[in-house]
Amino acid sequence: MSRARRLVAVSNRVGPVRNVAAAGGLAVGLVDALREHGGLWFGWSGRIAKNSRTVVHKEKIEGLTLATIDLTQQESDGFYNGFSNNCLWPLLHFRIDLTRFERAQLEVYRRVNRRFALAVRKLLKPDDLVWVHDFHLLPLAEELRSLGARQRIGFFLHTPFPPTEILSTLPAQEELMRALFAYDLVGFQTPEDLGRFQEHVGWVLDGTVRGKSVTAFGRQLHAGAFPIGIDTEQFNRFAFSPPGSQEFARMRRALAGRDQFIGVDRLDYSKGLLRRMDAFGRYLERHPDAHGKVILLQVAPVSRSDVASYREFRDELEREAAGINGRFGRFDWTPVHYLNRALPRRTLAGLYRASRVGIVTPMRDGMNLVAKEYVAAQDPADPGVLVLSRFAGAAQQMTAALLVNPYDGEETAEALHQARTMRASERRRRHQTLMKRLRVFDVRRWRSDYLAALAAAPAWRAPAPPAR
């Protein structure tokens, strides 16, 4: 791809640029690409403004341009806490029971996307590649097209894409699907997500699918699966150099010969934390010989505390952890260690390396990079074992993990036992297989494949007007 084409990334929030490796997540995937292409990153500043007057705040950091706007409290409530997280997030994770659709919040969601588009449009150059991220900004390309933008615009969905039976429950599904067809390329985490999108286009929207080309609403786009990865080698270095190596040594001393199971998840109902606690309790029930010899370290930073369902979920999880400790704990042994705060990635790398078993058991997840980081942090001579939900996108690539159905507590409990007691030769074999895949499908592969596909996608053409 020519270096002359600038990359413009748009996401709900703009991530850190300095010391980006320590931040992880989307920032790692984007910052190097933005540096390579002399890019610009646009998003919400996170600040609350007194009025909706759009002022773009620009900042130059290490050769990149960061551009942000503020939102009003009403916009934040309706756009972020409201339609994005009370409606789209549970729907995309197959949780119809938690989906709360309010048309007024949809209107705020569209209004904020319009504000984003108005600000971004003024910053664009004719030959830019625009890469839009995640469900907060589904309508952004449609808004940009209405303002005359003809640049290549791609969209990447970081969450799962739900099946037609679930998506069709959303009153605004056709409106949002129509908005997707203003993009030139739509990317998904897994072939399964791509397939569900294609099926919905064919069954509900009366569209057509021919290879990577998808047509509906009089508009053609390309769609593909682009599984996101991590910087595998860098995260491995985190685990074996300070401060990760120091955290590993400190944790091993604190464990005093016990085996540690570790889970690291944002505090969210989609992550399967309640069922994980239940499975760990079942494991202790069925294997009393493990009492006093294992601990579960669950790191769960608080998330979306302004949303009532999240506050209720946190209370329930704390009761579950306390129940296990009360039931099985002894004066010299606390089975569950539960932390509600975020830890630096280098610290986490050392903790992963010190843990015999990594537990990643979401009920549904787009990819889940914790699974990949846990494997990357292991000592190849004495690696731990990953227990992974088959409903995480990562399971499609990480078949050498112990794959479980997180809805089956007995199966998960037995997988914990199998992981802890697995012979070293099998642990090494599984780890070697997993690392080979992580090195091939790393974060650089993700972004290079996606941007190459975006550059090759058919140029935008406005839909033909309906025949009279």
Side-chain angles (χ1 to χ4, degrees):
M1 186 182 300
S2 171
R3 289 176 60 87
R5 302 192 73 170
R6 187 179 66 156
L7 177 63
V8 176
V10 188
S11 57
N12 173 51
R13 294 288 296 272
V14 172
V17 172
R18 295 189 180 94
N19 197 22
V20 65
L26 176 63
V28 173
L30 282 184
V31 167
D32 283 350
L34 289 167
R35 284 176 175 147
E36 181 181 350
H37 296 277
L40 179 149
W41 193 351
F42 181 92
W44 175 32
S45 65
R47 295 189 294 266
I48 298 299
K50 294 181 179 179
N51 58 61
S52 58
R53 185 168 60 93
T54 299
V55 177
V56 178
H57 312 285
K58 288 186 181 180
E59 184 180 9
K60 278 274 192 180
I61 300 179
E62 298 181 2
L64 303 184
T65 301
L66 306 184
T68 60
I69 63 172
D70 304 337
L71 298 181
T72 66
Q73 188 64 58
Q74 181 189 36
E75 288 171 334
S76 174
D77 290 342
F79 162 72
Y80 183 73
N81 293 329
F83 191 72
S84 292
N85 287 325
N86 260 342
C87 183
L88 288 181
W89 176 266
L91 182 87
L92 292 168
H93 289 84
F94 302 17
R95 291 297 303 270
I96 302 176
D97 57 315
L98 295 176
T99 301
R100 301 291 180 265
F101 174 78
E102 298 288 346
R103 193 160 295 279
Q105 293 180 345
L106 171 62
E107 292 305 315
V108 177
Y109 175 82
R110 290 302 304 248
R111 189 163 68 244
V112 170
N113 271 268
R114 178 71 173 178
R115 285 192 62 200
F116 268 51
L118 286 166
V120 170
R121 180 71 183 93
K122 295 175 182 178
L123 302 173
L124 293 181
K125 299 176 181 179
D127 203 34
D128 282 344
L129 290 176
V130 184
W131 192 1
V132 179
H133 289 269
D134 227 357
F135 60 98
H136 312 85
L137 302 174
L138 285 166
L140 185 63
E142 186 176 59
E143 298 290 353
L144 283 169
R145 300 302 187 195
S146 74
L147 296 171
R150 295 296 178 263
Q151 288 83 356
R152 296 282 174 86
I153 308 178
F155 177 81
F156 186 79
L157 184 66
H158 290 259
T159 70
F161 190 87
T164 285
E165 294 82 359
I166 290 177
L167 183 57
S168 296
T169 65
L170 179 65
Q173 70 83 16
E174 184 170 341
E175 175 184 345
L176 294 179
M177 290 295 290
R178 181 186 297 273
L180 271 183
F181 277 80
Y183 290 98
D184 299 298
L185 174 67
V186 175
F188 301 92
Q189 293 277 22
T190 69
E192 286 72 15
D193 294 315
L194 172 62
R196 287 191 285 265
F197 169 74
Q198 292 170 329
E199 288 176 357
H200 189 80
V201 169
W203 293 352
V204 177
L205 305 181
D206 197 27
T208 59
V209 178
R210 292 186 177 89
K212 59 187 175 184
S213 177
V214 183
T215 303
F217 305 110
R219 169 75 183 120
Q220 178 188 8
L221 57 74
H222 278 186
F226 304 89
I228 192 170
I230 64 171
D231 189 331
T232 306
E233 301 304 334
Q234 183 178 71
F235 202 81
N236 180 262
R237 289 194 295 272
F238 282 175
F240 287 86
S241 59
S245 59
Q246 296 164 342
E247 189 65 32
F248 164 78
R250 188 190 69 79
M251 193 74 248
R252 278 295 176 92
R253 289 193 298 271
L255 287 169
R258 294 179 173 131
D259 290 325
Q260 180 166 271
F261 300 176
I262 190 168
V264 178
D265 311 81
R266 189 166 49 79
L267 190 64
D268 188 281
Y269 47 75
S270 68
K271 302 301 183 182
L273 298 177
L274 287 172
R275 292 182 182 270
R276 183 181 308 168
M277 288 290 178
D278 174 71
F280 183 64
R282 291 171 186 261
Y283 165 74
L284 294 178
E285 280 181 357
R286 299 177 65 159
H287 299 281
D289 58 308
H291 292 191
K293 300 177 183 177
V294 300
I295 68 166
L296 169 61
L297 172 59
Q298 178 60 59
V299 180
V302 175
S303 163
R304 298 168 183 161
S305 57
D306 292 338
V307 180
S309 60
Y310 283 79
R311 294 194 298 270
E312 294 164 3
F313 175 73
R314 178 182 180 181
D315 292 343
E316 191 174 359
L317 183 61
E318 288 175 352
R319 287 194 297 270
E320 188 72 19
I324 292 175
N325 286 336
R327 185 177 174 191
F328 296 103
R330 305 190 308 228
F331 72 91
D332 61 345
W333 172 58
T334 303
V336 178
H337 294 212
Y338 175 54
L339 301 180
N340 258 151
R341 65 179 185 275
L343 298 176
R345 292 179 78 231
R346 289 180 172 85
T347 297
L348 286 174
L351 292 176
Y352 290 145
R353 183 183 164 199
S355 301
R356 173 60 67 201
V357 181
I359 314 177
V360 182
T361 51
M363 316 314 290
R364 186 69 58 175
D365 220 339
M367 178 53 62
N368 196 295
L369 299 185
V370 168
K372 298 185 175 186
E373 289 178 346
Y374 173 78
V375 171
Q378 297 307 302
D379 181 349
D382 185 26
V385 179
L386 175 65
V387 175
L388 177 62
S389 165
R390 63 183 75 251
F391 303 127
Q396 307 303 313
Q397 296 177 309
M398 306 181 77
T399 54
L402 293 181
L403 300 182
V404 299
N405 176 0
Y407 292 91
D408 187 340
E410 295 294 329
E411 180 187 67
T412 305
E414 280 311 294
L416 297 179
H417 175 67
Q418 181 184 353
R420 181 182 173 233
T421 58
M422 187 178 291
R423 295 191 306 273
S425 59
E426 185 177 355
R427 287 190 280 116
R428 287 192 290 268
R429 178 182 60 79
R430 288 175 179 267
H431 179 259
Q432 184 179 32
T433 301
L434 290 168
M435 282 294 285
K436 184 177 180 179
R437 296 280 287 178
L438 291 189
R439 289 187 170 109
V440 172
F441 295 99
D442 66 357
V443 69
R444 294 178 183 84
R445 171 75 175 268
W446 169 69
R447 66 174 180 254
S448 64
D449 284 358
Y450 185 91
L451 292 175
L454 178 57
W460 163 261
R461 288 184 300 174
R468 290 183 179 273

